[in-house]
Amino acid sequence: MGHATEAVGAEGSAGGGAPPLRVREFAVAVLRGQGQVTFLPSAAAGGVFCLALTVAGWEYGLYGLAGAAVGTATALLLGAGRDRAALGLDGFNACLTALGLAVVLGPRHLSTALFALAGCVVVTVLTAAVSNLLAPLGLPPLTLPFCLTASATALGAPGFQRVWHHGEGRAALPRPAAGTTALGPDDLARGFLSGFAEIFLMPQWYVGALLLLGLLVASRRAAAVACLGNAVGMATAWALGVPAAGIADGTAGYNAVLVALALCGVFLPARAATLAYAAVGAAVATAAGPAVAALLAPSGGPVFTWPFVLTTLVFLAAATSFPGLRTGQEPVTGQDPVTG
């Protein structure tokens, strides 16, 4: 998801006259694209993620897989690097875009499928644009292209009768939090697992359990960092007084999971200092969630992964001033950290 290898000129030797991916290589690249949603260039993890989405609903499994495939194919047709595509770097934003549009517009409409197809093409182009703009700063695009595409669609869709099928729009004034803050064991367990599911915009705890399994399949260390981020997010939300329902549904943890992964083992090396840095980032992203929700509520836009994107970009930009964060072990996923 938005890895350092997405900088300008990162196509390597794969552009121009490089031979196209074979069918099997393309299939592996598509699965890796799904794995890259959690920064893992792992076809095995992508396969488990695809299964998890299918358990949530066969439509979501199809949208996620098709989105990653369309994004990867679009990039290859436009001449993107073969090595880059093989790592799944052109699939994860498209995967999330297809899922986001399915969730916002309703998955069982032909108009949604066509809109999602177009959105996956657009987000692939937008990913390249954002990568080029951020590369001079040494920053990755993360899921910013997905957020921009999905948010624009969510805001504009009610204006198109052939696209919007929900009657009333989603716009609403933000309201103060209400409800009990007392957490029971069931709330904690469901919230922890649902935090992983919400990364893919799904609410079911059992989907989150499968997604956590996918993380474990690819990297136990990455899974441990993700669990820590989730726990920090939930603890921060509870300490700030988020109602128990807002923790049990997983929305308090998923941005924290992604921030923790990004700051400890992907863009910064995995070590004690970056683990602490990632924990602080996870707490900040959790606190930023309601702020983003309040800003988007009057226009009807979902939060998506905006808190993760904004927090991670700020913390990565700051990390260039802290040399102690940039030395140590190799990243969990074996990818180069951002250079500053």
Side-chain angles (χ1 to χ4, degrees):
M1 174 186 288
H3 301 75
T5 51
E6 292 183 300
V8 177
E11 292 84 1
S13 62
L21 294 178
R22 299 185 181 91
V23 173
R24 182 180 179 279
E25 292 173 329
F26 180 78
V28 170
V30 170
L31 291 177
R32 284 177 175 166
Q34 291 195 295
Q36 289 279 20
V37 172
T38 57
F39 305 98
L40 297 169
S42 166
V48 177
F49 292 170
C50 184
L51 173 63
L53 290 172
T54 303
V55 169
W58 66 266
E59 306 97 328
Y60 298 116
L62 181 59
Y63 272 96
L65 191 63
V70 170
T72 302
T74 299
L76 288 170
L77 288 173
L78 292 176
R82 184 176 183 274
D83 293 342
R84 169 192 170 88
L87 286 173
L89 291 172
D90 293 306
F92 66 93
N93 269 302
C95 170
L96 288 174
T97 297
L99 286 170
L101 299 192
V103 169
V104 170
L105 302 178
R108 298 192 178 186
H109 302 288
L110 177 60
S111 59
T112 300
L114 295 176
F115 219 73
L117 175 64
C120 290
V121 174
V122 170
V123 80
T124 303
V125 175
L126 188 58
T127 298
V130 172
S131 297
N132 291 341
L133 291 172
L134 292 180
L137 302 175
L139 295 174
L142 304 172
T143 54
L144 179 56
F146 152 63
C147 287
L148 291 171
T149 304
S151 291
T153 300
L155 298 182
F160 303 110
Q161 292 185 17
R162 292 189 176 90
V163 174
W164 189 252
H165 306 282
H166 302 303
E168 294 294 325
R170 300 168 56 105
L173 293 177
R175 297 176 179 273
T180 180
T181 58
L183 286 170
D186 182 62
D187 295 323
L188 290 172
R190 285 191 294 113
F192 183 78
L193 294 175
S194 295
F196 294 103
E198 286 288 350
I199 294 172
F200 284 85
L201 312 177
M202 299 292 114
Q204 301 93 337
W205 66 266
Y206 48 86
V207 172
L210 285 172
L211 293 173
L212 177 56
L213 175 62
L215 283 166
L216 286 167
V217 166
S219 169
R220 285 178 293 177
R221 185 162 60 173
V225 171
C227 288
L228 174 66
N230 200 352
V232 169
M234 294 176 65
T236 301
W238 176 82
L240 292 175
V242 172
I247 296 176
D249 65 7
T251 54
Y254 73 100
N255 281 293
V257 170
L258 294 173
V259 170
L261 286 169
L263 297 180
C264 183
V266 177
F267 301 111
L268 299 175
R271 54 194 298 265
T274 56
L275 188 63
Y277 195 64
V280 174
V284 170
T286 303
V292 175
L295 287 173
L296 294 175
S299 55
V303 174
F304 294 125
T305 56
W306 278 111
F308 152 65
V309 170
L310 297 174
T311 302
T312 302
L313 289 179
V314 169
F315 272 64
L316 286 178
T320 60
S321 297
F322 307 131
L325 295 174
R326 310 190 67 83
T327 58
Q329 304 170 16
E330 290 298 314
V332 169
T333 55
Q335 299 187 50
D336 295 332
V338 174
T339 57

